[in-house]
Amino acid sequence: MSSHDAPEPFAALPVAPKPALRRFHQARWDEEIVFELSRPGRRGVGVPAPGAPLVELPEGVARRTPPALPELSQNQVVRHYLRLSQETLGADFNIDVGQGTCTMKYSPKVNDSFARDPRVAALHPLQPEDTVQGVLEIYWRLERILKEISGMARVSLQPGAGSAAIYANIAMIRAYHASRGEGERRDQVITTMFSHPSNAACAKVAGYEVVTLMPDADGNPDIEALRAAVGPRTAALMITNPEDTGIFNPRIREFVDLVHAAGGLACYDQANANGILGITRARDAGFDLCHFNLHKTFSTPHACGGPAAGACGVSEALVPFLPGPVVDRVGEAFTLTVPECSVGKIRPFLGVTPNVVRAYAWVMALGAEGLREVAETAVLNNNYLLAKVARIPGASVPWFGRRRVEQVRYSWRELAEETGVHSEEIGVRAADFGVHYWTSHHPYVVPEPFTLEPTESYSREDLDEYAAVLAHVADEARKDPEFVRGAPYRQTVHKIDPATLDDPAQWSPSWRAYLRKHGAKRPG
């Protein structure tokens, strides 16, 4: 496991001057939530009295009482949200290479201007097709771009997120087998330990038994375990490649062929496609379905989990099952159609149009050569950072001899055994230096994990600074473990009792739900 002695090829790299750690202190406001700031009668805008209703509402539809909305002046609203904006870590003013698997890259601001343009932002999803031809054309063109990138026969942009796209794929898998009279018999889905957990979760939600392949001695999913798992009950293989270790499975075609020989389908989770754009394609490896996360690989904002955007690609045999609507071109016009055996909508309406526009603008600005350069630069950045982190005493790289693509799952196991400081605690202390840090998905098969994914967005200086922060915190942990455990000191974030996360009785999804459960008492 150990790699801090930096064997070849890393030992031969020149040692850059150690960057100075920047002085950082996050703004901290004891800011109430907007409902607590509300005062009866305050207004930010004068709303004219309503005239006669446009339509007669059915009995019981109209409100009997006004909605309980917060009442604030304009300057209170501006002050409130600016304060909240100062209390965040984000890609626009921090080095976020510690997002791991989220491919949190820079989103060009010009693309935001396209998404905010009234010709996009002011559209209504129920407008007649002849009034939204421009947006439909963007959907149609982006689908064809993604077809070329994946090699698939057809793409749907209807899902609203990566996990939604995975669920759309498992729904199509289920519908396909049902159409062949094998829906009841094929009740197992195979995935791998380092594939994204959404694959197993979506399969389970769809009613499948999940079989998980563990890694072999080289860090690949064990192909012998796959041979033992496939059979007449196999509905599909759902696999991420490269997995979240950053390792690309060189035998992926053998995996697909084994599943096909058993009568199953092969589904490619391409949320980690940032390092393979223009280099390898899902269909060329024999996959029947795939998905992309537009809010990751194609540079639309991740937005704290939403609104995201997903894209499902399928082979010719699965086109009739695509979620709809999809956009077709008839002559010079664009129209919405629903595939013959569609699994239905995965989200309301057509898709997340602002993010589809952003993704289209990003791809068109880069072109085919630019997309490949994205992948090449992301891989270069990742392996440069790997060389830096591998030198930090206490850090290690599982399966160190394996080449990595766009990310690496590292381990602080040695440091934890030496100091008692755990990966989560190092991440909290790293926030004091204005950088984001991510551990990994549970369960922690890699002990004391941290997962870094620099993408193509960051410079050599950024990566040097990030590695210097990790080295500094690791050194602090050896010298004064309690100091690191006491972090954060310069951040707005604070520590919470994780027990509440596992107690549904304490959850409050809204302010009103909080008041019902806890009264006026504010959380500590």
Side-chain angles (χ1 to χ4, degrees):
M1 291 278 282
S2 179
S3 56
H4 56 73
D5 52 349
E8 294 291 347
F10 298 144
L13 289 175
V15 179
K18 183 178 180 180
L21 299 181
R22 69 180 66 224
R23 297 180 64 185
F24 173 83
H25 201 296
Q26 184 76 28
R28 179 180 295 178
W29 298 94
D30 185 17
E31 186 69 3
E32 298 171 297
I33 71 170
V34 71
F35 285 98
E36 293 176 290
L37 295 171
S38 176
R39 297 294 182 272
R42 287 185 180 169
R43 293 289 183 271
V45 61
V47 180
L54 296 177
V55 295
E56 289 295 328
L57 295 176
E59 183 67 26
V61 172
R63 277 185 168 274
R64 297 183 181 276
T65 58
L69 300 176
E71 300 177 60
L72 294 90
S73 64
Q74 284 191 20
N75 65 333
Q76 285 178 303
V77 172
V78 171
R79 188 184 306 134
H80 174 68
Y81 286 104
L82 281 176
R83 285 175 173 175
L84 294 183
S85 73
Q86 292 172 354
E87 294 186 306
T88 64
L89 288 174
D92 284 346
F93 55 98
N94 297 106
I95 303 174
D96 271 358
V97 306
Q99 276 297 111
T101 82
C102 283
T103 325
M104 185 66 79
K105 62 172 73 181
Y106 176 70
S107 296
K109 300 310 168 197
V110 66
N111 296 350
D112 287 341
S113 69
F114 299 146
R116 293 193 191 107
D117 188 295
R119 289 169 292 183
V120 174
L123 294 179
H124 192 282
L126 297 180
Q127 280 184 231
E129 288 180 6
D130 61 357
T131 69
V132 290
Q133 287 292 295
V135 165
L136 295 184
E137 182 175 355
I138 288 174
Y139 271 81
W140 185 82
R141 291 187 180 279
L142 182 58
E143 176 193 328
R144 271 137 192 83
I145 291 168
L146 295 177
K147 279 174 53 181
E148 183 64 27
I149 291 171
S150 65
M152 292 296 180
R154 191 74 201 256
V155 174
S156 171
L157 297 168
Q158 209 267 332
S163 294
I166 293 172
Y167 186 80
N169 282 342
I170 196 67
M172 286 188 280
I173 290 166
R174 182 173 57 187
Y176 171 82
H177 288 306
S179 73
R180 296 162 58 87
E182 296 186 329
E184 295 295 326
R185 177 163 63 90
R186 296 194 177 275
D187 61 352
Q188 288 184 339
V189 165
I190 302 170
T191 188
T192 71
M193 176 49 68
F194 291 124
S195 289
H196 293 131
S198 296
N199 290 279
C202 290
K204 192 70 174 178
V205 167
Y208 286 100
E209 177 184 327
V210 177
V211 178
T212 302
L213 307 180
M214 299 300 289
D216 62 18
D218 295 324
N220 291 320
D222 192 328
I223 195 166
E224 295 307 319
L226 177 63
R227 292 185 202 278
V230 295
R233 296 178 61 191
T234 301
L237 169 70
M238 303 187 75
I239 188 170
T240 307
N241 190 41
E243 295 185 293
D244 282 354
T245 56
I247 297 173
F248 187 93
N249 184 352
R251 304 177 70 177
I252 191 64
R253 183 69 196 225
E254 291 180 62
F255 276 64
V256 171
D257 289 346
L258 281 170
V259 173
H260 284 166
L265 297 174
C267 183
Y268 198 158
D269 177 339
Q270 293 194 109
N272 290 346
N274 205 63
I276 58 176
L277 289 175
I279 297 171
T280 182
R281 305 196 308 173
R283 189 59 183 158
D284 293 343
F287 281 92
D288 306 288
L289 309 90
C290 72
H291 93 273
F292 295 103
N293 289 0
L294 301 187
H295 54 284
K296 293 164 72 169
T297 308
F298 293 88
S299 187
T300 75
H302 201 283
C304 298
C312 294
V314 297
S315 63
E316 194 66 48
L318 287 152
V319 169
F321 302 97
L322 275 172
V326 294
V327 180
D328 282 321
R329 186 170 190 170
V330 181
E332 295 302 313
F334 299 92
T335 185
L336 295 175
T337 61
V338 177
E340 178 185 359
C341 303
S342 175
V343 295
K345 288 181 178 292
I346 303 300
R347 71 173 305 279
F349 306 114
L350 178 59
V352 185
T353 297
N355 278 350
V356 169
V357 171
R358 287 185 179 99
Y360 178 71
W362 185 77
V363 172
M364 293 302 292
L366 288 167
E369 292 183 3
L371 289 178
R372 185 181 178 104
E373 187 176 352
V374 162
E376 292 170 344
T377 305
V379 173
L380 175 63
N381 278 354
N382 182 54
N383 283 276
Y384 178 80
L385 185 61
L386 169 59
K388 304 285 287 189
V389 175
R391 289 175 168 156
I392 300 175
S396 57
V397 186
W399 305 289
F400 187 70
R402 298 299 311 281
R403 293 183 181 274
R404 306 303 165 111
V405 184
E406 88 303 347
Q407 65 182 294
V408 178
R409 182 156 296 172
Y410 302 89
S411 174
W412 287 119
R413 181 177 188 173
E414 295 175 21
L415 187 70
E417 290 174 349
E418 177 186 350
T419 67
V421 175
H422 298 286
S423 180
E424 294 92 337
E425 295 165 325
I426 292 173
V428 174
R429 176 59 178 148
D432 277 335
F433 297 92
V435 300
H436 185 275
Y437 173 103
W438 189 69
T439 52
S440 82
H441 302 298
H442 287 281
Y444 284 176
V445 176
V446 170
E448 300 295 339
F450 61 110
T451 309
L452 308 181
E453 184 178 21
T455 78
E456 74 283 0
S457 295
Y458 295 98
S459 67
R460 177 173 177 173
E461 292 77 15
D462 290 336
L463 301 180
D464 287 343
E465 180 180 344
Y466 194 93
V469 169
L470 294 184
H472 179 83
V473 175
D475 187 57
E476 287 182 333
R478 284 187 295 274
K479 292 177 179 177
D480 190 349
E482 291 305 317
F483 178 77
V484 176
R485 291 195 190 98
Y489 302 104
R490 301 196 296 261
Q491 254 295 345
T492 187
V493 299
H494 58 86
K495 294 181 179 177
I496 62 173
D497 180 2
T500 60
L501 302 177
D502 299 320
D503 183 6
Q506 298 189 56
W507 298 350
S508 300
S510 70
W511 174 243
R512 294 182 184 89
Y514 177 81
L515 290 178
R516 286 195 300 270
K517 286 189 175 183
H518 305 288
K521 181 182 177 182
R522 294 188 66 189

